[in-house]
Amino acid sequence: MKNKIEITSRPYKYLSFSVKTNSIVILSFLTLQVLLLFFTRSWANLILIFSTTFATCAVELIEFFNRDKKNCYNFITAAIQGILTGLFLPSTFPFYAAFFATFFVFFSCRFFIAGYADNWINLPALTVALCWILGETLFPSFELSSEILFSKNPSLFLIQNGTFPMIDADPKITSFLNKTVFSLFGVSIPDGYVSLFWDTHSTIAAFRFNFITLISSLILFSFDVIKILIPGIFVLTYAILIYFILPLFYASPTHGDLFLAFCTSGFLMACLFLLQMAGTTPMTNLGKSLYAVIAGICAFLIVGAGTSPSGIVFTILFMNALSPLIQYAEYFFEIKRVKKQLQENSAQLKDGNNA
């Protein structure tokens, strides 16, 4: 039997999704967060997200009519950045102030600094930081003493005192998990942890649905929509510092509370959607690894053990400022490596001609 040769008009196959496809997928998962706000009737958060998204799309619309090549794909990017900005603002923040702050930051950076492709700074993080400076008192805060922070279960204390409300189904779900999953490891979790992981009821939407954010990350990493290198090293570095190093500052005999650290400061959301926004990270794997380690250390110093209303965005802005230095080092060592390789090749060619 002769082998059949198939000739098509599309002979090439992509090894990964296109940038446009990745953006659509990311927008879909962010839309899921918005839908959860709708189902929980978080109208103030929804109005904020609409305001910030309208602002970013308005800036994009202005440029849409001022450039020669018009591409609707950029509106997807604008919508992603607008939603992220709104997710990290508290529901108590005035929606009109959020609109003008977002419009000012995006318009200024777009028309007076650089376009999206050349931006070295994360615009949603910059907008949230500006809003925090303008209205710090509008952001939530938790007063945690060192005794509470380094008790055996500080997150459980916050649940028991009503800071994080429990859902009605929490005891049943917790009992089921203890019997079927955690019993295999000889451990159990108390009532309230499921509620904290599902919905913290924070006024900042990005702090709320950590379970959905975690599931989203697993899917996005699995399909390589978002690269896992930077988030993975970032989480690992931060977790090690919180679990082992933080108690040493207060001579505490207990380990740091990872549950509190990951669920109360928008850490997971920022790790997934903000930390490695296009144009703000190094290019090589070594540079990305260094970037992630430093980011984990900065998060430990700025966000601390959690419950920080804006520490994670300032961490990202600090890394944005540091990233060009890492990229310069990448460029320097890459040029040095290429020169050395060319010299070796030249020497081998010269020896071959003289043979």
Side-chain angles (χ1 to χ4, degrees):
M1 185 176 180
K2 295 182 179 180
N3 294 329
K4 294 183 178 180
I5 300 176
E6 183 179 359
I7 301 176
T8 68
S9 59
R10 301 177 64 182
Y12 302 106
K13 292 184 178 179
Y14 293 106
L15 297 177
S16 61
F17 296 126
S18 66
V19 174
K20 181 178 180 180
T21 301
N22 285 348
S23 298
I24 293 174
V25 173
I26 291 173
L27 181 60
S28 300
F29 281 94
L30 288 176
T31 303
L32 178 59
Q33 297 277 343
V34 176
L35 288 175
L36 288 172
L37 292 172
F38 176 81
F39 291 137
T40 55
R41 300 182 180 181
S42 305
W43 309 124
N45 289 109
L46 289 172
I47 293 173
L48 266 177
I49 292 172
F50 175 80
S51 300
T52 54
T53 305
F54 184 72
T56 56
C57 289
V59 173
E60 180 59 38
L61 188 64
I62 293 173
E63 187 172 0
F64 183 81
F65 290 107
N66 282 278
R67 60 172 176 248
D68 296 330
K69 292 184 68 177
K70 300 178 179 180
N71 188 355
C72 293
Y73 153 69
N74 289 327
F75 283 98
I76 300 175
T77 303
I80 290 173
Q81 294 188 321
I83 293 174
L84 284 170
T85 303
L87 284 172
F88 279 88
L89 290 176
S91 60
T92 52
F93 202 86
F95 72 91
Y96 54 87
F99 171 82
F100 285 113
T102 305
F103 187 88
F104 170 77
V105 169
F106 278 76
F107 185 86
S108 300
C109 291
R110 177 64 70 88
F111 291 96
F112 297 107
I113 299 178
Y116 281 132
D118 299 319
N119 266 330
W120 57 271
I121 195 166
N122 190 296
L123 296 185
L126 180 61
T127 305
V128 175
L130 175 63
C131 290
W132 183 84
I133 294 172
L134 296 175
E136 178 185 354
T137 57
L138 299 175
F139 283 72
S141 62
F142 300 104
E143 297 296 334
L144 297 180
S145 64
S146 58
E147 291 78 11
I148 295 174
L149 188 58
F150 293 103
S151 62
K152 187 174 182 180
N153 290 306
S155 54
L156 182 60
F157 174 84
L158 293 174
I159 294 170
Q160 292 175 341
N161 73 1
T163 302
F164 300 116
M166 281 200 301
I167 60 177
D168 295 335
D170 187 289
K172 294 182 179 179
I173 298 175
T174 301
S175 177
F176 172 79
L177 292 175
N178 284 335
K179 291 179 181 178
T180 57
V181 179
F182 295 110
S183 61
L184 299 175
F185 304 95
V187 297
S188 63
I189 59 172
D191 294 342
Y193 274 36
V194 172
S195 298
L196 179 58
F197 198 48
W198 173 252
D199 186 0
T200 64
H201 291 86
S202 172
T203 58
I204 300 179
F207 296 12
R208 292 184 60 176
F209 309 110
N210 290 292
F211 177 75
I212 299 300
T213 304
L214 180 61
I215 296 300
S216 300
S217 67
L218 294 177
I219 297 174
L220 292 173
F221 292 149
S222 298
F223 288 94
D224 210 25
V225 174
I226 294 178
K227 306 297 182 182
I228 196 174
L229 179 62
I230 291 178
I233 297 176
F234 174 60
V235 169
L236 181 62
T237 303
Y238 180 67
I240 291 173
L241 292 173
I242 290 295
Y243 194 74
F244 294 107
I245 305 302
L246 183 64
L248 298 179
F249 286 95
Y250 295 87
S252 173
T254 62
H255 295 295
D257 192 337
L258 294 178
F259 210 78
L260 183 71
F262 288 149
C263 294
T264 61
S265 300
F267 181 88
L268 297 179
M269 177 71 73
C271 176
L272 185 62
F273 295 110
L274 291 183
L275 184 62
Q276 54 178 347
M277 189 166 283
T280 63
T281 59
M283 300 300 294
T284 65
N285 286 339
L286 181 59
K288 291 177 180 178
S289 300
L290 179 62
Y291 177 90
V293 170
I294 298 175
I297 296 172
C298 290
F300 173 70
L301 297 175
I302 299 175
V303 181
T307 70
S308 172
S310 57
I312 194 66
V313 297
F314 283 100
T315 297
I316 290 170
L317 290 178
F318 178 81
M319 293 309 303
N320 290 161
L322 186 63
S323 181
L325 297 178
I326 300 176
Q327 294 181 48
Y328 177 80
E330 287 179 319
Y331 174 79
F332 175 80
F333 286 110
E334 184 63 20
I335 290 295
K336 189 175 181 180
R337 185 192 66 82
V338 171
K339 284 183 177 179
K340 182 179 179 181
Q341 186 65 45
L342 290 175
Q343 289 174 352
E344 291 177 353
N345 293 343
S346 176
Q348 292 176 358
L349 180 61
K350 185 176 181 180
D351 292 340
N353 292 332
N354 294 333

